Amino acid sequence: MGRMGYVEGSVRGSTLGGVNSTVRMRILLVLLALASCLLVVQTFGGDDSPQLPSLTYTELDAQIDLGLVESVQMTQGSTRLIVETVDGERYRAVIPPGFAEQFVRGVIEAEPQIRLDTLVNTSGPNPWLVVLNTVAPLALMVILVVVILGRMGGGRISKKKFRKKTLHDSEGSKEVTFADVAGADEAVTELTEIREFLNDADRFSALGAKIPKGVLLYGPPGTGKTLLARAVAGEAGVPFFTLSGSDFVEKFAGVGAGRVRDLFDQARKDAPAIIFVDEIDAVGRHRGGGGGAGNEEREQTLNQLLVEMDGFDVSSGVIFIAATNRPDILDKALLRPGRFDRQIAVDIPDINGRRQIAAVHAEGKPLAPGVSIETIARRTPGFTGADIANLLNEAALLSARRNLTHISQAELDDALDRVIAGPEKANTLSEKERHTIAYHEAGHALVGHLLPNCDPIHKVSIIARGKALGWTLALPERDRVMKTQSELCDEMAMLLGGRVAEELIFRDPTTGASNDIERVTAIARSMVTEYGMSALGPQRFGRSGGEVYAPTHDANYSDDVAMRIDEATHQLIDRAAAEAREVLSLHRPVLDKIADALIEHETIGHKELDVLFTDLGPVTFRREDFTPPLRQEVLDLR
Ligand code: NHX
Ligand code: ZN
């Protein structure tokens, strides 16, 4: 049996086992529509003389009784009649349901005799209608079959086309090598091994070494996973076949699986080769999760992928590389030995990586004196390679627009704001709104400056960018791989500084703090449920692994604990708000000065801020400790 596919809208087809319910619905509807067409044909089309005047049954009865009826033609199995009177007039009539037998008896027994013709109305005036009546249902069935088969067939043709279209190797595109991959040294080291195998498979197999079949590159978007995979192929000088996971999820059932087959067939033919599948999570999402249309199709594709991976011999010289930024949602079957044996983290670059990346992307972009790769690297903690590329490109665009010959710090700064917060937006604001925004941002800035564990405030602005009407940019001084409890607490207070300032100044806060509040809530909740930073202790509440589609009631704690989690979260937020309130009311004059400066200049950088902050003495802010006291036994050890 062939695969049955069905096009149109988002309906995605099905597999051998059966047609999925949406498709079944549709076919049912089509059949229903056809059935009603047939019925219409039977009822009206079959009426061979619609142009004849009609008699009611009572009238007909009376005519028969009066001996005025010459003949009656009866459609077989039907209750429709054509009546001919003695004076040659023709009428049509209908026998009411249940009266047929009685009527026929009446006609047979009638005096004078009435000719009763029960044949199919071949004698009717329009033989075409007879043809229609017998042929039409057949024809319609044929049409139906042709339509359905046509769709399948059409699907197949398109399938072929689709497959051919998307599958391609890197021919024509510039060859990439490891030298082109900056700031991902660990991943390069890991992948070097793969290149060696591809170049010299015999040496490995002679020693009985098992070469990984599959390599999974995982890490945030923009960290260069695709580039790495290309570089492996470039280094080894082997063809590179690539598809994106989303290419596998097509509207035609079976296309995904077909593409997987094609991909592996092609690669095997050209071996040694590298197959690269980007966004593998699109197909490789764990089965049974996140249902909806196309799920069956996706699972079929995933199964095909697993089959191919198990089926190919590593000695064939084909290596399968996949990339994802959601390794946590991948189907466990993909990660089993013999499949993605090797998993390589491709993380956001550290300062050294950023230096290398910035150097790569600054090539051909003349930097003004005083601007260095070093400052770019230091100013961009948390940036991915793609972010840095974007930053330098924006800076170059800006410089060109400003008719400069070199990229200077001002352009880099503006580009940085743009990359971080989005493009500037012009808003028509009332005086009151400008004040509100200014105080909100001043609140963030002042709390951020006063609390000892906040990142230094780099810039504050009331110029709208992206989604934000105003923003405060705090930049970490150094790269950080984790945060401390105090840093999280101060960050929460800083985030609430905006709202608290609004309350303090206007006593009527706005909806504007929604994003701040969302972030504060997320931090507080994570502190309680993930980081063990509350009175509930170091325990994981809720399922680990961050399964996106995990239903919320899947909690691993009791209702009672749920309440305590909410309470602990609330306490953390409450305390952060109280701290923000305390520092802001304590330094109200400075808050006013910052807000005024914002209203006047719209954007103020760290240098101007430092001047405004000089009024503040040395800041010491003490937080009462909420860590439970150490046990006596432990204290005794000291
Ligand atoms: C609105 N925007 O939604 C208007 C247009 C309080 C002065 N009716 O906290 O701009 O109110 O410190 C990412 C970033 C929503 C996602 C910012 C989603 C902002 C921003 C709402 C400043 N700065 N709020 C801030 C703000 C708003 C919003 C976001 C987002 C305001 C505040 C947005
Ligand atoms: Zn805010």
Side-chain angles (χ1 to χ4, degrees):
M1 185 185 152
R3 284 176 216 98
M4 209 180 196
Y6 204 84
V7 208
E8 252 174 54
S10 60
V11 179
R12 276 166 193 175
S14 59
T15 58
L16 306 164
V19 180
N20 89 25
S21 61
T22 332
V23 175
R24 219 179 290 137
M25 257 311 261
R26 291 232 174 166
I27 287 180
L28 209 76
L29 277 175
V30 170
L31 284 175
L32 227 83
L34 283 169
S36 44
C37 279
L38 286 180
L39 222 76
V40 169
V41 169
Q42 291 279 357
T43 318
F44 298 105
D47 192 338
D48 41 2
S49 317
Q51 72 274 25
L52 293 179
S54 66
L55 287 175
T56 66
Y57 184 67
T58 325
E59 285 165 347
L60 176 61
D61 217 28
Q63 298 270 316
I64 291 172
D65 279 351
L66 291 169
L68 295 173
V69 175
E70 169 80 27
S71 77
V72 172
Q73 285 176 17
M74 205 172 175
T75 327
Q76 208 167 29
S78 159
T79 50
R80 274 171 287 115
L81 309 170
I82 292 170
V83 179
E84 201 175 340
T85 57
V86 280
D87 41 68
E89 296 289 342
R90 280 159 62 93
Y91 299 92
R92 60 199 167 94
V94 173
I95 310 170
F99 281 78
E101 208 182 312
Q102 183 195 329
F103 172 77
V104 172
R105 205 180 308 120
V107 172
I108 292 168
E109 289 166 1
E111 280 299 335
Q113 277 217 333
I114 297 172
R115 192 154 47 82
L116 179 65
D117 194 352
T118 54
L119 285 173
V120 178
N121 40 7
T122 37
S123 56
N126 194 347
W128 284 111
L129 286 168
V130 180
V131 173
L132 193 69
N133 238 351
T134 44
V135 173
L138 244 167
L140 281 169
M141 285 312 280
V142 169
I143 289 171
L144 176 70
V145 168
V146 165
V147 164
I148 288 177
L149 283 181
R151 281 188 164 153
M152 284 173 61
R156 250 187 223 122
I157 291 162
S158 317
K159 275 181 207 173
K160 269 262 154 59
K161 239 173 29 199
F162 270 131
R163 285 200 213 168
K164 287 274 137 56
K165 200 170 65 189
T166 31
L167 174 65
H168 65 280
D169 65 14
S170 62
E171 251 180 290
S173 74
K174 191 177 131 271
E175 194 141 285
V176 179
T177 65
F178 286 147
D180 299 310
V181 185
D185 295 343
E186 292 89 353
V188 166
T189 310
E190 295 261 357
L191 286 168
T192 308
E193 204 180 315
I194 307 293
R195 176 200 57 188
E196 284 173 7
F197 164 72
L198 283 166
N199 282 344
D200 196 1
D202 296 344
R203 186 159 55 92
F204 285 82
S205 33
L207 284 167
K210 252 174 120 182
I211 297 300
K213 276 186 180 181
V215 178
L216 181 69
L217 301 173
Y218 66 93
T223 43
K225 298 183 286 293
T226 307
L227 194 68
L228 275 165
R230 267 188 198 286
V232 177
E235 287 278 334
V238 304
F240 184 70
F241 295 97
T242 180
L243 271 182
S244 171
S246 51
D247 293 333
F248 290 126
V249 187
E250 280 288 350
K251 50 188 164 205
F252 299 115
V255 171
R259 279 196 192 150
V260 171
R261 264 194 308 277
D262 287 357
L263 192 60
F264 278 85
D265 285 349
Q266 270 279 318
R268 260 191 295 260
K269 221 165 58 202
D270 292 8
I274 286 190
I275 296 174
F276 177 63
V277 174
D278 205 357
E279 298 171 47
I280 185 104
D281 44 290
V283 238
R285 175 165 299 168
H286 64 97
R287 284 167 285 193
N295 210 37
E296 262 177 77
E297 150 73 348
R298 211 199 64 232
E299 288 183 9
Q300 195 190 351
T301 309
L302 175 55
N303 287 334
Q304 186 64 40
L305 200 66
L306 295 175
V307 165
E308 293 287 350
M309 285 195 82
D310 291 345
F312 83 82
D313 186 4
V314 199
S315 60
S316 69
V318 176
I319 283 180
F320 187 55
I321 303 181
T324 181
N325 42 44
R326 294 298 313 270
D328 51 319
I329 63 167
L330 286 185
D331 198 291
K332 296 288 166 287
L334 272 172
L335 306 176
R336 272 207 283 275
R339 287 164 185 169
F340 289 108
D341 311 85
R342 198 58 60 100
Q343 288 152 31
I344 301 175
V346 189
D347 233 325
I348 54 169
D350 60 6
I351 180 122
N352 292 319
R354 293 199 303 274
R355 222 176 267 134
Q356 292 174 37
I357 294 167
V360 167
H361 294 290
E363 226 170 275
K365 296 187 181 73
L367 299 180
V371 181
S372 67
I373 298 293
E374 184 59 31
T375 42
I376 297 169
R378 264 193 289 110
R379 284 284 190 78
T380 49
F383 274 45
T384 64
D387 291 336
I388 294 171
N390 192 220
L391 167 69
L392 282 163
N393 192 50
E394 287 289 345
L397 284 171
L398 261 178
S399 307
R401 220 176 299 148
R402 292 175 189 171
N403 283 320
L404 302 170
T405 54
H406 289 76
I407 299 169
S408 65
Q409 193 59 50
E411 283 69 47
L412 268 173
D413 279 348
D414 290 352
L416 203 63
D417 293 345
R418 197 189 160 97
V419 170
I420 292 175
E424 281 190 10
K425 252 168 56 185
N427 268 321
T428 19
L429 299 169
S430 69
E431 205 54 27
K432 173 78 192 285
E433 284 168 330
R434 272 171 66 85
H435 269 80
T436 308
I437 299 169
Y439 268 101
H440 177 106
E441 301 313 330
H444 284 309
L446 188 50
V447 175
H449 176 76
L450 287 167
L451 296 185
N453 303 295
C454 276
D455 292 333
I457 305 297
H458 186 74
K459 206 185 254 189
V460 194
S461 174
I462 59 166
I463 297 174
R465 266 183 194 277
K467 280 186 182 170
L469 296 166
W471 43 277
T472 301
L473 180 59
L475 282 181
E477 281 170 301
R478 301 183 309 108
D479 282 23
R480 191 168 27 202
V481 286
M482 49 193 181
K483 284 180 180 174
T484 67
Q485 180 173 302
S486 314
E487 282 167 348
L488 290 174
C489 287
D490 286 5
E491 189 179 345
M492 286 196 294
M494 188 276 211
L495 282 167
L496 289 171
R499 153 57 60 94
V500 167
E502 290 181 46
E503 278 173 5
L504 225 57
I505 307 301
F506 305 100
R507 311 221 164 264
D508 187 16
T510 68
T511 57
S514 62
N515 185 251
D516 296 334
I517 291 170
E518 191 181 329
R519 287 165 60 189
V520 166
T521 310
I523 294 173
R525 196 164 172 93
S526 294
M527 286 177 76
V528 177
T529 63
E530 288 175 62
Y531 309 141
M533 294 179 184
S534 78
L536 297 189
Q539 189 176 336
R540 171 78 190 210
F541 298 105
R543 295 177 60 122
S544 48
E547 289 179 9
V548 249
Y549 296 110
T552 40
H553 62 260
D554 239 20
N556 64 352
Y557 45 80
S558 65
D559 291 354
D560 180 52
V561 170
M563 244 165 80
R564 290 170 61 204
I565 291 170
D566 291 342
E567 236 160 64
T569 308
H570 170 78
Q571 263 176 25
L572 284 170
I573 297 173
D574 211 39
R575 201 190 48 185
E579 287 172 2
R581 205 165 291 121
E582 186 172 335
V583 295
L584 290 184
S585 18
L586 215 60
H587 298 289
R588 170 70 195 266
V590 183
L591 183 69
D592 291 332
K593 282 212 304 197
I594 302 170
D596 288 345
L598 277 170
I599 289 162
E600 193 184 345
H601 306 291
E602 295 195 315
T603 301
I604 43 182
H606 58 282
K607 291 200 189 91
E608 296 89 335
L609 276 170
D610 282 346
V611 176
L612 294 168
F613 289 147
T614 46
D615 294 1
L616 302 159
V619 186
T620 47
F621 188 84
R622 269 193 55 82
R623 171 179 295 122
E624 67 187 79
D625 201 78
F626 59 82
T627 320
L630 290 175
R631 283 181 300 145
Q632 198 51 54
E633 299 94 295
V634 177
L635 286 174
D636 287 347
L637 290 173
R638 301 217 276 223

